[in-house]
Each structure stands twice: as C-alpha cells, then as structure tokens.
Amino acid sequence: MIYTVKDVARILQIPESTVYEYIRNNVIPSFKIGKHVRVRKDDLDECIERLMK
C-alpha cells in the first residue's frame, strides 16, 4: 500500500507540515511520483517501530 502525505498525517495524527518536515529530515522514507510525495506502508510501519524503541 502507498500513502499520501495527507494519509500519513491522519494516521500519525500530526499536521501535514510536520510530515513534510520528517520527510525532509529523512525520518520518514518517501519517494516522488512527479511532484507528488508518497510513503510506502512498510516504510512507515518500520519508521514507527524504530521511533518507539
């Protein structure tokens, strides 16, 4: 599954601007399709697990 920034913000219950900041700082791995930023579900799950340790 692939998430948009809006999806990630909703899942983590944080503002979209914070998601973009995390992406810029490589906290959340992402990729672009054209101008659109996307996050793989597996990458988000792994990121959450890593940060919870």
Side-chain angles (χ1 to χ4, degrees), residues 2-33:
I2 296 174
Y3 295 132
T4 63
V5 170
K6 184 177 273 193
D7 293 334
V8 174
R10 190 183 70 248
I11 290 165
L12 298 179
Q13 298 180 353
I14 59 175
E16 287 180 41
S17 59
T18 304
V19 175
Y20 280 114
E21 183 180 332
Y22 287 168
I23 288 169
R24 260 193 320 278
N25 293 321
N26 297 316
V27 175
I28 298 175
S30 67
F31 64 97
K32 280 189 164 187
I33 299 177

Side-chain angles (χ1 to χ4, degrees), residues 3 16 24-25 30 38-39 43 46-47 51:
Y3 295 132
E16 287 180 41
R24 260 193 320 278
N25 293 321
S30 67
R38 299 291 185 254
V39 176
D43 289 341
E46 185 178 303
C47 177
L51 294 173

Side-chain angles (χ1 to χ4, degrees), residues 29-50:
S30 67
F31 64 97
K32 280 189 164 187
I33 299 177
K35 295 181 186 179
H36 305 282
V37 177
R38 299 291 185 254
V39 176
R40 288 182 182 90
K41 179 186 184 306
D42 292 342
D43 289 341
L44 182 60
D45 291 344
E46 185 178 303
C47 177
I48 292 168
E49 287 296 318
R50 181 172 26 93

